[in-house]
Amino acid sequence: MSSSGTPPVASPDDVRAPTRGGVLASQLCPICRKAPIHAGQEVCSGRCRAARSRQRKAGGRLERDAQIRALLEAALAKLREDP
């Protein structure tokens, strides 16, 4: 609390949500490559956001499957060794 007894004054910019900005004319949605995206956006719509999520999950599955395959091949090689 200040010693003068007056409450602090907030400027109008401190209370507002940040503005979104305009359309980035040079950037199209990376998923559909059709619609322009706004500043701060990654994709243009919910449909493209869902498609991006599916792509990310598929990439993760491919990586996981490659790791599992390598482990299984190592285990098979170990089993085939002479005791």
Side-chain angles (χ1 to χ4, degrees):
M1 197 180 249
S2 65
S3 60
S4 66
T6 60
V9 178
S11 68
D13 291 332
D14 292 339
V15 221
R16 280 190 222 141
T19 57
R20 234 170 101 167
V23 173
L24 300 174
S26 63
Q27 287 193 344
L28 294 177
C29 175
I31 304 299
C32 68
R33 305 253 188 244
K34 294 178 183 176
I37 59 172
H38 295 275
Q41 280 185 314
E42 293 181 21
V43 293
C44 67
S45 66
R47 179 177 288 176
C48 287
R49 188 171 51 251
R52 182 187 59 186
S53 176
R54 287 190 297 272
Q55 287 175 354
R56 286 182 181 167
K57 287 179 182 178
R61 281 191 301 271
L62 288 174
E63 191 174 311
R64 182 201 62 205
D65 291 350
Q67 291 174 349
I68 291 171
R69 179 181 305 276
L71 291 170
L72 286 172
E73 288 174 355
L76 281 173
K78 191 72 168 169
L79 288 173
R80 289 185 184 135
E81 289 178 1
D82 289 329

